Amino acid sequence: MNTSTEIAEFARNVVRQERDGLTALLESIDTSSISQAVDIILKSDGYLIVAGVGKSGHVGQKIAASFASTGTPAFFMHPTEASHGDLGMIAKGSILLALSNSGESRELLDVLNYAKKEKVKVIAITSRPESTLAKAATTALLLPQVAEACPNGLAPTTSTTNTLAMGDALVVSVMQKRGFTSEDFGRRHPGGKLGLRLQTVSDWMERTQAGNPLIDYKADMAETVLAITEGGLGCVGITDENGALIGIVTDGDLRRAMGPNLFEMSATDIMTPSPFTVSKEQRMGRVVDEFTARRIGNAFVVQGGKPLALVDLKSLLAAGYV
């Protein structure tokens, strides 16, 4: 029976072998082939169609999703389904990215033959330069021939890690050459925590019933307290005669000013002048980070000096931004 220590060492050996496989891949990437593959993708107006079977197919689905999310319209096509009608997905002007470590997956033959008839360019990811796939490809991204981490040398492990890494290298190279920005990425990722952080303040304003509690700089303390209470957001903005934001009064400001003369004061007496504000163009992730760093719970969205809305921590928590 294997001990826990032995099992842990088995696991480390797998990682070591896959690391060594990646090192071999790093040293073997061919400048001409990767450049040609990037150029083919960037010059196409059609879809990038990723195909592979078995473990290569699973990796291919991830690669297709990565391309689609970074500016290259792409989808995965299963080679078996392709032979039963899905070949119609391969239209002129599209590109085929075919994955097979051996380059001899028989399920890919119909796909490759169809691509040749339709004059569709093929990018191959394989470890065999003399394989059917490599020979049929417009350009082949060759993987190093390394041992699998499987103790029997059979289960795809090191080879699939290298396939994924090569796919990621192609995705990011195309993304870099295309000039794909964080704004482009954000438009394609509206969901989840990542999507929320990539939204702009303007996006947040459109999706949220954002409050905008404001009072005039001449307001007395009774008006100030009432405005904070009715707004329910823990603060109120102070504006000048032109409607520009000149300060903010928070619950904390009220507590610190508490005393027998409180209601003899005005809002401007206890406000925080020139408070931290945000613009409509800022990323929500940046806003949340600023809230954390400054230990504040609210900030007005300002344009041309005038407050448009209030971003408050309670709303951010409720919407999942924090």
Side-chain angles (χ1 to χ4, degrees):
M1 181 178 294
N2 295 321
T3 66
S4 297
T5 301
E6 289 172 330
I7 292 171
E9 189 56 29
F10 291 155
R12 293 188 186 98
N13 282 334
V14 171
V15 175
R16 288 190 192 103
Q17 284 188 258
E18 298 205 6
R19 176 199 62 193
D20 292 345
L22 287 170
T23 299
L25 174 63
L26 174 64
E27 296 170 351
S28 68
I29 291 177
D30 179 68
T31 301
S32 177
S33 297
I34 191 72
S35 297
Q36 186 179 7
V38 169
D39 191 55
I40 288 171
I41 294 171
L42 288 174
K43 286 183 177 179
S44 172
D45 293 326
Y47 279 91
L48 175 67
I49 304 165
V50 184
V53 295
K55 302 303 183 292
S56 292
H58 294 305
V59 173
Q61 291 179 58
K62 187 273 179 188
I63 294 172
S66 294
F67 267 115
S69 69
T70 54
T72 301
F75 61 86
F76 177 79
M77 180 184 67
H78 197 288
T80 301
E81 296 297 332
S83 296
H84 294 274
D86 283 0
L87 283 172
M89 295 178 177
I90 306 177
K92 284 184 171 65
S94 57
I95 301 162
L96 176 66
L97 174 60
L99 317 178
S100 172
N101 185 50
S102 68
E104 299 296 345
S105 298
R106 58 182 176 78
E107 295 91 342
L108 280 173
L109 292 178
D110 288 341
V111 178
L112 294 174
N113 288 333
Y114 188 83
K116 182 178 180 179
K117 291 175 183 177
E118 295 298 314
K119 294 181 171 54
V120 168
K121 292 183 177 180
V122 178
I123 300 170
I125 296 181
T126 180
S127 67
R128 307 287 179 176
E130 298 303 317
S131 65
T132 301
L133 173 57
K135 289 180 178 179
T138 310
T139 188
L141 303 178
L142 295 175
L143 306 174
Q145 295 182 28
V146 293
E148 300 290 5
C150 164
N152 299 317
L154 299 174
T157 45
T158 313
S159 62
T160 48
T161 298
N162 275 355
T163 301
L164 178 59
M166 180 64 89
D168 284 344
L170 183 59
V171 168
V172 176
S173 297
V174 171
M175 176 183 170
Q176 184 80 10
K177 189 72 181 290
R178 195 186 293 280
F180 192 81
T181 66
S182 57
E183 286 76 16
D184 298 325
F185 194 81
R187 285 198 298 272
R188 291 166 173 80
H189 291 77
K193 186 70 72 175
L194 174 62
L196 293 177
R197 287 186 62 85
L198 289 170
Q199 285 182 10
T200 63
V201 172
S202 180
D203 294 330
W204 177 82
M205 290 170 62
E206 291 176 3
R207 294 165 178 255
T208 308
Q209 296 296 319
N212 195 27
L214 302 169
I215 56 174
D216 186 77
Y217 72 102
K218 296 178 182 179
D220 59 26
M221 194 54 60
E223 292 175 276
T224 304
V225 172
L226 182 62
I228 293 176
T229 303
E230 291 182 342
L233 299 174
C235 71
V236 65
I238 314 301
T239 58
D240 64 14
E241 63 273 12
N242 297 314
L245 185 73
I246 60 172
I248 187 173
V249 177
T250 67
D251 286 335
D253 293 323
L254 284 176
R255 288 193 297 273
R256 286 185 287 272
M258 195 67 66
N261 300 321
L262 175 64
F263 284 93
E264 295 176 12
M265 300 179 185
S266 67
T268 53
D269 291 329
I270 68 168
M271 75 178 185
T272 298
S274 304
F276 170 72
T277 61
V278 299
S279 69
K280 293 172 65 176
E281 294 74 30
Q282 278 182 274
R283 295 283 170 196
M284 289 303 296
R286 170 81 180 277
V287 173
V288 171
D289 291 343
E290 289 283 1
F291 274 32
T292 302
R294 295 171 181 269
R295 296 186 178 183
I296 59 176
N298 36 49
F300 279 94
V301 184
V302 172
Q303 187 172 41
K306 297 184 178 181
L308 305 177
L310 179 73
V311 182
D312 68 288
L313 187 58
K314 184 167 67 174
S315 296
L316 293 177
L317 285 165
Y321 288 90
V322 180

